[in-house]
Structures are given as structure tokens and as C-alpha cells.
Amino acid sequence: MGMIYNRDTFLQTIARQLGREQILSDVHRPNWNYTPQWTVFQGYSQEELLSALEAQCSRIHTDFVATTADALATTLKQVVEQYGGGPIVTWDDQRFSEYGLLPLLEAEWPSENVDVHIWDASAGRKNIEWAEKANVGITFSDMTLAESGTVVLFSDAGKGRSVSFLPRTYIAIIPKSTIVPRMTQAAAFIHKQIEIGRIVPSCINFITGPSNSADIEMNLVVGVHGPVKAAYIIVTDR
Amino acid sequence: MAMKIGADSFHQRVEAGLHNSFMRGAVAGAQERLRTRRLDAAEELGNWEEWRALGEQIRQHTLLHLDYYLMQLSENVAKRGGHVFFAQTAEEANQYIREVVIKKNAKKIVKSKSMVTEEIHLNAMLEAAGCEVIETDLGEYILQIDDHDPPSHIVAPALHKNKEQIRDVFRKKLAYDKTEKPEELAAHARKMLRNEYLTADVGITGCNFAIAESGSITLVTNEGNADLVTALPKTQITVMGMERIVPTFEEMEVLVSLLTRSAVGQKLTSYITVLTGPRDEGDVDGPEEFHLVIVDNGRSSILGTEFQPVLQCIRCAACVNVCPVYRHIGGHSYGSIYSEPIGAVLSPLLGGYDDYKELPYASTLCAACTEACPVKIPLHELLLKHRQIIVEREGKAPISEKLAMKAFGLGAASSLLYKLGSKVAPNALQPFTTDERIVKGIGPLKAWTEIREFPAPAKERFRDWFREHRKERERDGNDL
Amino acid sequence: MKVTLFITCLVDLFHPNVGKATVELLERLGCEVEFPEAQTCCGQPAYNSGYVKEAKEAMKHMIRTFEHAQYIVTPSGSCATMFKEYPHIFQHDQEWEAKAKKVAEKTYELTQFLVDVLKVENVGAKLKGRATYHTSCHMTRLLGVKDAPSRLLKHVEGLEVVPLPNAHNCCGFGGTFSVKMGPISEQTVDEKVRYIEETNADYLIGADCGCLMNIGGRLERTGKRIRVMHIAEVLNSR
């Protein structure tokens, strides 16, 4: 339990300025007069959402590669090669095994002298060193937003934040079923989780392409602090 | 006042701004680009006015229940093991942060861009406490290594600098040996900053939106620097203006959509990061310790007043990007980290009229800002309210103007006086008139005629003509 | 149809030709034009300078002068906007708020009246040459009259209307801004003048005498041969 300092006078000042007593409970959000966020891509099929996502990828400097679950390992290997190969860092995530990627990660790549580090909470800060040295970071997408071309990542012990920030290239594997119209659906999902008492992950990332900046004469530079390149591999039959 | 930059008077700063032709070109170009992007992004949605109405309603609801939501926020942060400090003043905020930093024995601090820490002059305090403070937003980093040049735009802080100037600063301060190409400059900054993230003891961020229902904070960037600032150091301190809060994830989502579209015309920026408390048990990255500092610093005195809507602001700078005055004088002219038009409303409220009494007048009241604001702050009306206060309560208006306006009130409220005054005007102004033009005026006319011709009052007023016209028509039998 | 003319102080004193054109145009379109001699100024100069008390005196006088009109028509977007603001300004003053509302509801800017009430777009005007149109800020943004002028100008025989680059930018008039912030106003109007020159227009047309005085005064001072015309004068050309 953390500490809270100076709260009472602070909040009393606010209440006084608002010309009323402090409100401690029973505040409910009103029914908003407009809810335009729900109309974006309303009624789109999964197929249509996928096309919207693909279109958006070209606007966010992100490569879009479609594949199937069976061909995923081969595709992933190719894409990694295109970006210059290892070292590689990945999440420790059940889905790597479910999608049949462990042979690639644990045997094939190491046999070709490609360094692969799977996030290992017990190794502590060592993970960050791996991620910092890695050329490629690979994660699955937990939810994917078609409108903006965004992958949503929920952190946990095996799903370190650094995998998507520190390597030069970031690759997200996106099962088609994770695609929703926009951030609205992701926010509503998280809100529901909170309402039923679930714990929010300490870090939720909404990542849209590689890092970039326009701070020098408004010229877009892709690749500043985080990844310089990004690719989405979409698994179309999952 | 802490938010103040420089000691020059407003008119001196404007003079400097008007003579900075690179800056003016850069600002005009940026305005056009950002305005177009914003309009395109809005058009793509098709129902932008509904989005704005929703944004406004969310902000209004939150402000009306601010104490409740801050209570909820702080409870939830504490539940997750984070510490919350409520700071009434800039000094209190700085004092608390100083204590944390000293307790952690911190030598190096990395920061991601935050207007509120600029407002409370946090860096100066940290440096005085013996810490090395590194700004990691590329624009802020450039300004910082250039001997703390102040930011000139809320979203693009180094807008006033060209790439040659940046190259020269890099050469002088960072042993840089490449060209002025933005890619090369950015790559160098990347290299320099990587090491700083990895070795910093404390990371400090601002907060775009805190989420009351979960005790989370939301950070919006394109560079991803806020992620590194919060993922790598062992201690994280987040400083937020007390109004930067929403009830739930659902409202955060709407405001983020409004923010990124209005600021840069993007559907979302590259990184939207929602952090809750320190890292979880078993997590490797993320801070061990998390402190949230909630800053009032004059904001509460705006609540409950006619200026309350200014607290709806989400710091997108859409108003800056359409302001015709900012366009020509740039951000430094305002003498405040918050520049026109939001800054012209906010600076006198947070910093007082003594320092900022000119700002409300540095506007043509063209309402481009009001039209652009994604949360519908009536900015030009608030500028008018400032003018009214300066005249009525602060008594800071010039005597000559007061007399003129008194005369106006009398004259315009009485048809007799108006008729009389307007009839003698041509004669009164006769000595200054050539060719039915006034070329050199006196009094307020002087300022006008220094720049442009002024028409001499017509010899026959409209009303005189109309009277004749009326008679003529009646003579002609009124055959309508 | 009976139209009560609110001529504005600028037109009355400095630009009577605009007033004459307005009257002739309206009469030709079958309106009976009345001009209450008691009218003075809408109060905007004082109001926008922060002198609300003084402005309110003028406003009350104008409300009294116009409250019995059927349609109030004015050749100024900015002054029409001021009338529309009256109810807001007299908020919480029951008596005057109600009266102000009545006045505001029947107030029209000239082109707005022609297009929305008289339902005419072709007024039978003729003018030879090339013109560009300055959109005034108050008229477009606050009054919301965006395309009435261009719809009317489209039908002026012999007139070619070319778009003004960056038309959305203010001309730098801003009432007392033009004298209080002279150096900034100068740069703003100079930029406007540059764009006007780029169009190679013979005429600069506008619907607000304030902006036209500012731009026209600068055009003259800098020796540019572009004729400034109020839209009423254009529509009354035959």
C-alpha cells in the first residue's frame, strides 16, 4: 500500500472553489450525448477490418505480411532475415508454443548461430541487456486496432516491456481474431475487466508502427528512441 | 513566476520575433502542415462535431467532479503500491520530488516531455540539488543542450530552430561530426540517449491523462522516449496538473483520439502507454517505486470562475497552429511556456496580470482558436473576459483609452450625440486629410496611419443620403 | 417585404457608397427599406476592448432602436455577429436578455439575407474582371455564413472569382488590435496582401468594412493597384 500526502486540504480547496461540499461517493458518468467512437467501422466483418489494417500500415511505415498458422514459422524466419537476422529477443508467451514457433526459436535459429533470448523473469536485469543488444524483438499482439494500425500489449512477468522498445526492429504477430475496429473496443474491454475486479497490467502499450519524430524542422525521422523498423505478421486463419 | 521565460518586455520580445525570419517561415510552414493534417483527420471521421461535443462533455463532467475523481485516482494508485503527493504549489511539488531524489541518492535523471514540470521549473531545482537531468524528447533535448533555450511550441518545442543551428549545437556540445540531415542528427541523439536511459536512477514524466478507475497514467508520444524513461530506471516520478484526469479508460480513449488528431493529425501516435503503479511482482522492467505528484499551482483558483473552461485543455496546440498572431511572433514572444492562444488565456491566470497583461490583447479575436479546439474551449471569449477584468478590476487600461471608451458609451447610447459627433467629424479631421485619405493621423489614428491609409469621413454620411433618397422615392410616387 | 437597415457606423461615416449599394440592391429585389435614424454603433469597439459597461449602454440603445423590426439586415458580418451575441452578453438580465434575443433572431448579414430569406443567388449584377474574395473571420466562424457570398458572386456576369490562398487566415484587423499591436497587425496584413497579389485579381471583395479598410489601406499605402469593393457594391453593379 502506497502513501498519500496532503490530500484532504487539496480536495477541500477544490470543493470550496466549486461552491459545494466535497463529493466522496455516488458520482456516475452521465449518458454522453454523442458516442461517435462506436460508429467507426461499425458492422465490419473480420475480413474488412483486416483490409483496413493493411491500408493503415502503409501510413505508419510498417510492413504488412499476411500468412497462415502453418506457414507462420517460415514467414517469421524470412521476415527476420530481411531485417538482418539476430540477435532476437521474444516474450515468454504460451502462444509461441501454440503457434508452433518453439522449434524455430529453440532449435533452428540456434543451430544457425542466431542468438535467441526468450524473456526469463528469473534472470532479472539480464533481460534488458539482451533486449538492448537485440536486432529484432518479437511479441504477439493481445488486441489489434484496425483504424490506427495499433497493436495492444498487456505486460506481465513473461511479457517484458523492453522487447517492443529496445531492439532495432519490432515484429508483432497478429492473429486475425484479435483485430477490433479501434481503440474504443480495447478501452471498453479493459474497463469491463476493472469493473469485475480484475487487476490491470502494470503496463499496457498501444504501439503504432516504429518510433518517430518530427522535431527537426518538421521533417519526419522514423526510428528515434525505440525501434527504427516495424513489421506486422498477420495470421489470417487464427 | 515560475512559468515565465526571459526578462524582456512583451513589445521587445515581439520585436525580436518579428525580425526572426527563419522562425517565422518555420512557424508558418508548420501551421499550414499541422492545420491541414488536423482537418484531414477530422474529415476522415466525418462527424468531428460530435467528437468535439463528446470531448467537451467529458472534460466538463470531470472538472465538476474533480475532487471525487482525484480521490478515486489516489486511492487506486496507493492500492497498487504507488505514492501520491498532492502539491498545492510549485514549491511543494519541487520539495517532495527533491526529497525522493535525495532518498534514492539519484545522480542521473531522465525526463520525458512535460509542460507542468516546465511550469514549476523542476529541472532548475534538480540541478541545484546536484543531479544531472536529461530531457529525452528530441526537441527538448536539442533545447536543453543549447544552454536551456526555452520551448516555443507546446507540441514541437524546438520549432524555432533550423537544422543548421541544431548541427552546430551538436558539434559544439556532443562531439558530433556529421551533417545537418535530420536523420543523422536524430541517430546521434538516439545513440547519446540510449546510454542515459540505461544508467539513469530516476525517470520523470508528465501525464497526458490519469485514469481514476484504475489509478493509471497515460503517456502519449511518437518517439517512445516516455516508455524508456518509465521502463528502465528504478524510480519513476510522474507529475500531473490536477485537471489532467478522466473517469475511466473509455474517456481516456476518446480524449487520446482527439489529442492525436488535433495535435498532429494522426489517428494515434506511435506510443500510447498506460502505466499502473510500480512494476508488478515478477516483472523485470518498469520501476520499483512509483510517485505521482498532483499539482495545483493556481489551477484551483480557476475552478468555479468564468475561466473554468480553460481547464478543459488537453494541450494539443491546435489553437496555436491556427493563430494568426503566433504565426508572426512565435512562441517566445509570449514570455511564458504556454503560448498563444491557450497561453494568452492561461498565463495571466497562473502567472498574474502584472507579467501577462498584454497577452489578452495580442489577438484579433478571429476565433480560429475556438473553432479548432477539440474540447470546445471558447478561447476568444475568454480573452475578452481578461480584457474586461484588466479594464474593470485591475484598472490597468490606459487613461486615454478609458476616456475614449467613456465617450464612446455616451455617444453610441445617444442618437443625438452620435449624430452630432459624426457630423462634425469631417471638419475636425480636415487638417489631416489629403485626397479623401488620412495619411498621418494623431492619437489612435497615428498607429493606424503608420501602416495604412485611413479613409477621411465622407462629406455626406449615409444617413444624409438616405434622407434625400427617401424623399426622392416618395416624390416618385412610391410605386413599389 | 420590409427590411430594417442596420448600416453600421463605419458605413455611415466612411463608406456611404456601401450603404447606397445595399439600399438600391434590396429595393431592386422588392424590399421596402427603412432606416431608423436613431441607430448608432453595435458596441463592438468597446465590448472587444473590455469596456462591457460602456458597450452595454450602446447595445441597449440599439435594441430599443431595432426591437420592432421585421428583418434587420446589415452589410457587415462582424456587426451582425455582435447583434447575435447580445443575448449571451445580457445573460442573467431577464428583461434585456429577452429583448436581445428577439433582436438577434431577426438579424441577417446582407448575403445571408439574400440567399436564405429572399432565396436569390442571381441578382442580375454585371462586373467585368478578375476578383478574389476575403472571408472575414467573424462572418465565417461566428456567424457561420460560409458560402452565401460565393454563391452570389458566381452569378455576377463577367466576373471571374479566383480562390484566395490561405483565405482562412485573419487579415490582422481585429478592431483596436490594428492600432494596439501595430507591428503584428502590419505583418499579418502584409501576408494577406501578398496572397491577394498572387491571385492577379483586379478586385478584392469582402463583406466587412473593417477588414476592407485594413486591407485596402495597406494596399493603397504600398501602392498596389487592386480595387477594394464591398460585396454590396459588386452585387449592385450593372
Side-chain angles (χ1 to χ4, degrees):
Chain A
M1 193 70 188
M3 301 291 291
I4 298 172
Y5 306 93
N6 298 348
R7 185 169 66 186
D8 290 352
T9 42
F10 192 100
L11 298 186
Q12 274 157 20
T13 305
I14 291 174
R16 197 175 58 241
Q17 280 292 129
L18 288 169
R20 54 163 174 73
E21 295 290 303
Q22 217 180 309
I23 300 180
L24 298 171
S25 60
D26 283 334
V27 171
H28 302 285
R29 296 177 295 163
N31 285 321
W32 308 115
N33 296 335
Y34 299 96
T35 49
Q37 70 273 38
W38 290 99
T39 63
V40 178
F41 297 167
Q42 199 172 22
Y44 271 37
S45 68
Q46 217 57 20
E47 208 53 51
E48 289 168 310
L49 291 177
L50 179 62
S51 327
L53 174 69
E54 181 173 8
Q56 177 64 8
C57 278
S58 63
R59 299 170 65 171
I60 56 168
H61 314 277
T62 298
D63 291 330
F64 175 97
V65 185
T67 188
T68 58
D70 286 344
L72 179 59
T74 322
T75 310
L76 180 61
K77 197 175 171 202
Q78 276 167 4
V79 173
V80 168
E81 259 161 40
Q82 271 169 33
Y83 287 112
I88 293 163
V89 63
T90 76
W91 274 353
D92 172 15
D93 180 337
Q94 194 58 42
R95 284 172 290 186
F96 282 96
S97 129
E98 285 167 23
Y99 283 73
L101 295 174
L102 286 186
L104 175 66
L105 261 51
E106 289 175 346
E108 203 172 328
W109 266 330
S111 74
E112 294 165 15
N113 284 327
V114 176
D115 268 350
V116 179
H117 286 285
I118 298 174
W119 197 264
D120 174 8
S122 67
R125 298 277 295 183
K126 264 253 170 287
N127 288 284
I128 291 170
E129 284 171 35
W130 294 335
E132 214 282 314
K133 289 200 186 83
N135 180 46
V136 179
I138 306 171
T139 78
F140 274 81
S141 171
D142 292 320
M143 279 181 104
T144 310
L145 318 181
E147 182 201 32
S148 51
T150 304
V151 294
V152 186
L153 313 182
F154 298 124
S155 74
D156 71 24
K159 294 157 78 181
R161 310 178 189 186
S162 300
V163 176
S164 56
F165 301 150
L166 286 175
R168 274 193 82 73
T169 305
Y170 169 59
I171 296 174
I173 302 170
I174 301 176
K176 190 168 111 185
S177 58
T178 63
I179 307 175
V180 296
R182 70 187 309 279
M183 197 174 180
T184 306
Q185 286 73 18
F189 168 77
I190 300 163
H191 171 65
K192 281 252 158 57
Q193 298 293 305
I194 296 167
E195 271 190 334
I196 59 172
R198 296 265 166 79
I199 301 285
V200 188
S202 62
C203 177
I204 302 173
N205 270 300
F206 296 83
I207 298 180
T208 307
S211 95
N212 64 80
S213 171
D215 273 348
I216 302 174
E217 289 196 8
M218 300 294 293
N219 285 305
L220 184 74
V221 176
V222 177
V224 185
H225 304 285
V228 179
K229 301 235 185 286
Y232 293 164
I233 299 176
I234 288 76
V235 187
T236 53
D237 53 353
R238 287 289 184 98
Chain B
M1 268 308 130
M3 58 197 273
K4 199 173 165 182
I5 53 174
D8 287 349
S9 77
F10 176 71
H11 291 285
Q12 284 169 322
R13 293 189 304 262
V14 167
E15 196 61 23
L18 290 175
H19 282 99
N20 186 342
S21 58
F22 166 77
M23 180 279 290
R24 289 180 52 194
V27 167
Q31 279 198 329
E32 271 144 42
R33 226 178 295 183
L34 292 170
R35 176 179 178 274
T36 310
R37 280 190 213 158
R38 176 176 58 81
L39 291 177
D40 289 348
E43 197 179 322
E44 203 170 350
L45 283 172
N47 46 2
W48 186 241
E49 287 309 309
E50 289 187 14
W51 281 87
R52 289 178 79 212
L54 176 58
E56 178 190 34
Q57 199 187 3
I58 290 173
R59 294 301 292 141
Q60 287 178 343
H61 166 79
T62 311
L63 289 174
L64 279 177
H65 303 91
L66 188 58
D67 48 347
Y68 171 77
Y69 287 120
L70 284 173
M71 170 71 89
Q72 200 189 2
L73 173 74
S74 55
E75 285 297 310
N76 285 324
V77 172
K79 250 185 236 165
R80 289 291 288 258
H83 308 291
V84 185
F85 184 85
F86 285 88
Q88 208 82 245
T89 62
E91 291 70 31
E92 283 179 25
N94 280 332
Q95 182 57 32
Y96 178 77
I97 296 166
R98 189 185 140 92
E99 279 166 21
V100 172
V101 164
I102 288 174
K103 213 163 91 195
K104 291 283 138 194
N105 199 19
K107 295 279 173 282
K108 186 183 282 187
I109 297 171
V110 282
K111 272 186 75 199
S112 67
K113 189 170 165 305
S114 147
M115 292 305 288
V116 68
T117 62
E118 293 278 345
E119 179 190 317
I120 64 174
H121 274 206
L122 177 64
N123 289 12
M125 183 283 292
L126 291 170
E127 281 164 9
C131 299
E132 186 190 354
V133 184
I134 298 135
E135 292 288 351
T136 60
D137 171 82
L138 182 56
E140 296 265 356
Y141 179 66
I142 291 166
L143 297 179
Q144 189 186 37
I145 58 170
D146 192 13
D147 302 325
H148 303 272
D149 192 13
S152 69
H153 185 283
I154 309 178
V155 172
L159 186 61
H160 58 285
K161 280 196 157 17
N162 65 29
K163 51 187 191 287
E164 290 78 16
Q165 289 168 327
I166 297 168
R167 175 201 61 202
D168 294 344
V169 173
F170 273 32
R171 283 184 177 165
K172 199 165 135 201
K173 302 285 172 81
L174 302 176
Y176 178 68
D177 58 5
K178 294 210 172 88
T179 74
E180 68 284 354
K181 282 197 190 127
E183 295 75 22
E184 292 180 355
L185 290 164
H188 191 68
R190 177 190 169 97
K191 201 172 80 191
M192 302 297 291
L193 285 168
R194 254 307 156 97
N195 189 45
E196 310 287 15
Y197 293 119
L198 290 165
T199 53
D201 306 296
V202 174
I204 297 182
T205 75
C207 169
N208 292 96
F209 303 105
I211 305 169
E213 69 169 340
S214 56
S216 312
I217 62 148
T218 311
L219 300 170
V220 179
T221 77
N222 265 318
E223 296 181 12
N225 57 321
D227 298 285
L228 295 171
V229 163
T230 54
L232 301 176
K234 285 191 172 159
T235 302
Q236 177 190 338
I237 304 172
T238 291
V239 188
M240 65 178 267
M242 68 176 197
E243 80 285 12
R244 307 298 295 276
I245 181 170
V246 291
T248 78
F249 268 79
E250 295 185 318
E251 291 76 40
M252 177 277 284
E253 181 274 305
V254 173
L255 293 180
V256 164
S257 294
L258 286 167
L259 171 63
T260 57
R261 279 176 169 82
S262 303
V264 280
Q266 288 172 280
K267 287 170 179 158
L268 288 181
T269 54
S270 293
Y271 296 93
I272 315 283
T273 304
V274 184
L275 300 167
T276 309
R279 70 192 188 205
D280 284 328
E281 186 108 1
D283 282 359
V284 169
D285 42 14
E288 286 169 3
E289 217 175 283
F290 170 66
H291 299 262
L292 179 63
V293 179
I294 302 173
V295 178
D296 181 329
N297 200 32
R299 287 165 173 75
S300 61
S301 63
I302 302 172
L303 279 176
T305 73
E306 55 200 357
F307 290 104
Q308 184 166 310
V310 80
L311 296 174
Q312 288 163 216
C313 178
I314 58 173
R315 304 284 190 268
C316 70
C319 58
V320 180
N321 298 335
V322 295
C323 179
V325 173
Y326 178 89
R327 182 180 184 86
H328 293 288
I329 66 177
H332 286 168
S333 295
Y334 295 90
S336 162
I337 57 160
Y338 298 115
S339 53
E340 182 89 54
I342 182 67
V345 177
L346 198 56
S347 305
L349 294 170
L350 297 181
Y353 287 105
D354 281 337
D355 280 333
Y356 297 113
K357 63 178 177 300
E358 290 95 349
L359 300 195
Y361 294 95
S363 163
T364 64
L365 303 178
C366 75
C369 46
T370 302
E371 182 186 56
C373 179
V375 290
K376 298 180 86 163
I377 304 172
L379 287 154
H380 76 284
E381 287 179 26
L382 298 179
L383 288 172
L384 264 175
K385 288 204 194 306
H386 272 314
R387 293 184 185 182
Q388 189 183 346
I389 288 171
I390 289 168
V391 168
E392 289 176 1
R393 204 182 66 204
E394 298 281 311
K396 289 196 192 323
I399 302 280
S400 58
E401 182 185 280
K402 278 191 201 161
L403 288 172
M405 289 301 170
K406 227 28 344 93
F408 172 89
L410 287 172
S414 147
S415 34
L416 190 67
L417 275 178
Y418 173 88
K419 280 186 217 165
L420 212 65
S422 61
K423 202 166 176 75
V424 301
N427 293 332
L429 288 166
Q430 192 57 44
F432 310 102
T433 308
T434 40
D435 263 357
E436 297 185 3
R437 288 281 172 276
I438 297 175
V439 181
K440 251 190 185 147
I442 54 163
L445 255 189
K446 182 168 181 288
W448 177 279
T449 55
E450 272 173 4
I451 300 163
R452 16 176 151 52
E453 312 288 307
F454 191 78
K459 299 215 172 68
E460 184 193 47
R461 296 171 304 180
F462 168 77
R463 60 183 62 227
D464 304 323
W465 172 85
F466 188 83
R467 216 174 290 131
E468 288 307 312
H469 172 74
R470 189 81 220 184
K471 275 187 211 152
E472 241 169 71
R473 276 179 78 83
E474 271 161 22
R475 253 201 317 271
D476 293 350
N478 204 1
D479 52 1
L480 280 176
Chain C
M1 189 177 287
K2 200 165 176 180
V3 167
T4 306
L5 192 60
F6 158 34
I7 202 61
T8 80
C9 45
L10 278 184
V11 170
D12 189 18
L13 302 184
F14 298 102
H15 302 285
N17 288 335
V18 173
K20 292 176 204 169
T22 306
V23 172
E24 288 171 3
L25 178 64
L26 286 169
E27 284 178 348
R28 204 165 50 244
L29 293 170
C31 299
E32 186 191 333
V33 180
E34 117 187 313
F35 176 80
E37 287 247 354
Q39 65 182 275
T40 55
C41 167
C42 64
Q44 189 171 183
Y47 184 71
N48 283 1
S49 303
Y51 294 80
V52 176
K53 256 184 275 163
E54 288 79 356
K56 277 184 169 171
E57 290 309 309
M59 291 169 185
K60 284 181 180 172
H61 175 76
M62 291 299 263
I63 291 171
R64 277 191 294 260
T65 306
F66 284 97
E67 64 184 332
H68 302 297
Q70 192 187 354
Y71 290 103
I72 303 165
V73 175
T74 178
S76 161
S78 188
C79 303
T81 305
M82 197 70 239
F83 267 29
K84 295 275 188 202
E85 285 287 303
Y86 280 7
H88 179 62
I89 294 164
F90 285 101
Q91 220 177 3
H92 311 306
D93 178 340
Q94 268 193 355
E95 183 198 345
W96 285 99
E97 188 184 358
K99 288 184 181 197
K101 217 171 145 205
K102 268 170 55 193
V103 167
E105 279 167 1
K106 51 195 180 192
T107 297
Y108 295 87
E109 182 276 330
L110 175 64
T111 63
Q112 180 185 31
F113 181 74
L114 296 179
V115 173
D116 292 354
V117 180
L118 295 185
K119 311 270 184 214
V120 3
E121 294 189 6
N122 187 346
V123 297
K126 289 180 193 156
L127 182 68
K128 215 170 136 37
R130 187 181 169 90
T132 193
Y133 180 79
H134 168 68
T135 49
S136 296
C137 300
H138 288 176
M139 180 150 148
T140 40
R141 297 203 181 97
L142 302 179
L143 194 60
V145 178
K146 294 195 165 98
D147 34 73
S150 61
R151 283 161 70 178
L152 289 157
L153 290 173
K154 207 165 63 189
H155 295 284
V156 175
E157 202 184 309
L159 193 69
E160 180 199 2
V161 184
V162 291
L164 180 61
N166 278 306
H168 53 85
N169 277 346
C170 174
C171 70
F173 173 59
T176 53
F177 175 87
S178 59
V179 289
K180 275 196 173 167
M181 297 281 162
I184 309 173
S185 179
E186 179 179 353
Q187 297 301 319
T188 315
V189 70
D190 270 349
E191 190 182 7
K192 187 59 78 186
V193 165
R194 278 200 299 279
Y195 289 128
I196 294 168
E197 278 193 286
E198 273 180 28
T199 65
N200 279 320
D202 308 308
Y203 306 100
L204 170 73
I205 301 170
D208 252 301
C209 281
C211 312
L212 292 181
M213 250 168 75
N214 177 45
I215 303 172
R218 187 64 182 169
L219 283 169
E220 265 191 71
R221 171 62 57 88
T222 49
K224 310 280 192 266
R225 291 170 190 279
I226 296 165
R227 188 164 164 217
V228 174
M229 286 181 89
H230 189 280
I231 193 162
E233 297 174 290
V234 176
L235 298 177
N236 194 43
S237 301
R238 298 172 71 81

